[in-house]
Amino acid sequence: MVGASAFGSIAEPRTQPAPFEAVARRKRVFSGIQPSGSMTIGNYLGAVRRWVRQQHERQSIHCIVNLHAMTLPYDPIDLRRRTLDLAAELIACGIDPEKAILFVQSEVPEHTELTWILSTQTMFGELGRMTQFKDKGRGDERVGSGLFFYPVLMAADIILYDTDSVPVGEDQRQHIELTRDVAQRFNSVFGETFVIPEADIEKEGARIMALDDPTKKMSKSGGPANYIAFMDSPDEIRRKINRAVTDSGSEIVARDDKPAMKNLLGIYSLFTDTPISELEARYVGVGYGQFKRDLAEAIIEQMAPIQARLAELQADPDEIVRILNRGTERAREIATPKMEQVRQVTGISLKAGW
Ligand code: TYM
């Protein structure tokens, strides 16, 4: 442990740890990702890429949300393996576990305790209006009630750490608005307890669409033709891009009436840091075939060093577990006192002195 702070190593060289308050004034970022399959380029371009950038100037906390991944049917052996794989993927992408706190949600029981307390301040109607619940539950009465409570657990994840900002893709906006409402309601009932977090959603990359249907979000649950994952081989990437749907006509432009090209150009632009207008100019009069070949190679080239690092990390799963255990300790240094404060203001703590 460096100094008195879970973030001691971020602010100052190891020899001179900063006192917690000095560090705590920097913006705190929290975000989560489900271990429900290999990380996709949608996750990367919409969220993870920014986590990597922000960890240098902000206190960053990143959580592998395995409890959220239990809300739909799953295989327990797969869940454990995917949790470790996802941790390796995040580190391979550049999350530095010395700088950011990287941990697994179920290892910090304060998340579930706070979920119950927040559920008493969350309206049934609010949860019923969540589009993700409507999409995934599809009105089926036999759907697990965990899916209904999913946004309450997410709110608990975020506010447990006095989070200022939540870097996510566009699909999470509604959940963060609910988090803000619940935190504000809690504060007005029990007194100022939680920081009200802001959603941090970038214009570019906020909504990467499916390769097989540019009207739908790219998603791990969409089937392999839908997404490119970090575990995909170069040949799989070439095949998937080659099969990606295109628009009618042959123009390579990012217009709203060309949703497939708009999506592919967006991915190309983000992976190569090239403005879309420059790509449009480069591909005037060029066929879809050549464009797709170039795009596939650009993705493969960017992913190659990440995939090489990933292979190294996956060779030593014990080291991944050690990194995650260390993340748990640092997360609990923040979560445990916060939860004690919540227990006191809500009247469920028996400790004297409040
Ligand atoms: P999840 O696991 O679906 O996705 C993780 C992050 O990736 C972003 N993302 C995308 N961005 C752009 N285009 C896409 N096609 C795309 N697909 C995914 C997501 O917006 C997200 O930022 N409920 C969350 C996990 C969560 C969480 C939290 C997030 C649990 N607790 C607390 C933030 C804070 C989810 O299912 O993300």
Side-chain angles (χ1 to χ4, degrees):
M1 189 58 244
V2 184
S5 159
F7 284 100
S9 61
I10 295 185
E12 297 288 331
R14 279 170 172 280
T15 45
Q16 241 192 2
F20 181 73
E21 284 312 314
V23 184
R25 275 194 291 278
R26 276 187 306 140
K27 259 201 165 190
R28 186 174 288 168
V29 165
F30 181 100
S31 214
I33 181 165
Q34 291 197 64
S36 46
S38 174
M39 205 173 94
T40 70
I41 60 169
N43 296 135
Y44 180 68
L45 299 175
V48 175
R49 209 170 60 115
R50 252 166 332 129
W51 304 355
V52 173
R53 271 194 249 127
Q54 292 178 345
Q55 68 186 338
H56 302 290
E57 70 266 11
R58 298 181 182 179
Q59 293 186 351
S60 297
I61 309 177
H62 299 301
C63 183
I64 298 178
V65 294
N66 55 350
L67 299 173
H68 279 110
M70 295 172 74
T71 55
L72 290 175
Y74 72 98
D75 178 311
I77 292 172
D78 263 4
L79 181 60
R80 184 177 186 278
R81 185 181 46 78
R82 285 176 169 175
T83 301
L84 297 183
D85 280 348
L86 182 54
E89 287 178 304
L90 291 170
I91 297 167
C93 283
I95 296 290
D96 177 352
E98 287 293 315
K99 289 206 164 91
I101 296 180
L102 177 64
F103 75 106
V104 175
Q105 189 183 36
S106 59
E107 297 291 291
V108 181
E110 284 82 357
H111 289 243
T112 39
E113 186 179 357
L114 183 57
T115 299
W116 176 256
I117 291 172
L118 294 183
S119 78
T120 66
Q121 303 302 317
T122 310
M123 304 302 135
F124 189 81
E126 283 176 313
L127 293 179
R129 283 192 293 277
M130 292 289 112
T131 52
Q132 181 180 285
F133 175 69
K134 289 197 262 184
D135 289 350
K136 291 192 178 166
R138 293 196 189 93
D140 184 351
E141 291 238 330
R142 289 160 312 161
V143 73
S145 50
L147 192 64
F148 189 67
F149 274 98
Y150 181 114
V152 190
L153 176 58
M154 180 160 162
D157 294 341
I158 296 169
I159 65 179
L160 185 57
Y161 295 90
D162 281 337
T163 301
D164 298 296
S165 123
V166 192
V168 283
E170 180 62 44
D171 59 333
Q172 301 300 318
R173 187 187 290 279
Q174 195 188 28
H175 287 152
I176 295 175
E177 277 163 13
L178 178 81
T179 301
R180 289 169 57 83
D181 291 345
V182 172
Q184 267 153 355
R185 195 171 301 138
F186 185 102
N187 284 354
S188 68
V189 174
F190 298 108
E192 285 303 310
T193 308
F194 294 116
V195 170
I196 310 300
E198 303 271 350
D200 169 12
I201 301 171
E202 261 190 348
K203 196 160 159 272
E204 281 82 30
R207 207 166 156 73
I208 303 294
M209 308 309 278
L211 296 179
D212 58 353
D213 181 353
T215 64
K216 295 204 178 100
K217 176 185 90 160
M218 179 179 284
S219 159
K220 290 168 270 208
S221 53
N226 167 306
Y227 61 80
I228 289 177
F230 276 80
M231 303 265 189
D232 288 346
S233 68
D235 275 345
E236 274 169 304
I237 296 172
R238 287 188 191 103
R239 214 173 22 249
K240 286 182 178 184
I241 293 289
N242 185 36
R243 290 193 188 149
V245 301
T246 46
D247 307 299
S248 56
S250 58
E251 270 176 297
I252 298 176
V253 285
R255 278 202 319 255
D256 287 344
D257 63 334
K258 304 266 181 203
M261 280 302 129
K262 189 175 173 185
N263 187 40
L264 295 180
L265 277 164
I267 294 171
Y268 201 156
S269 158
L270 288 165
F271 265 115
T272 58
D273 251 331
T274 313
I276 288 188
S277 56
E278 204 178 307
L279 293 171
E280 287 174 331
R282 190 187 301 170
Y283 286 100
V284 172
V286 178
Y288 283 157
Q290 185 61 49
F291 170 77
K292 283 179 161 183
R293 277 192 293 280
D294 292 352
L295 170 58
E297 294 315 312
I299 297 173
I300 291 166
E301 191 184 318
Q302 293 298 312
M303 283 183 30
I306 297 176
Q307 290 182 324
R309 176 98 182 95
L310 179 59
E312 280 170 29
L313 289 159
Q314 282 177 318
D316 190 358
D318 292 347
E319 175 60 11
I320 299 291
V321 172
R322 270 193 296 276
I323 289 172
L324 291 172
N325 286 342
R326 172 82 186 101
T328 301
E329 276 172 36
R330 293 168 71 202
R332 290 201 80 178
E333 279 171 32
I334 302 170
T336 305
K338 190 75 208 177
M339 197 58 222
E340 186 47 37
Q341 185 190 355
V342 172
R343 297 174 118 260
Q344 292 191 357
V345 299
T346 52
I348 60 170
S349 172
L350 296 186
K351 282 196 182 145
W354 183 75

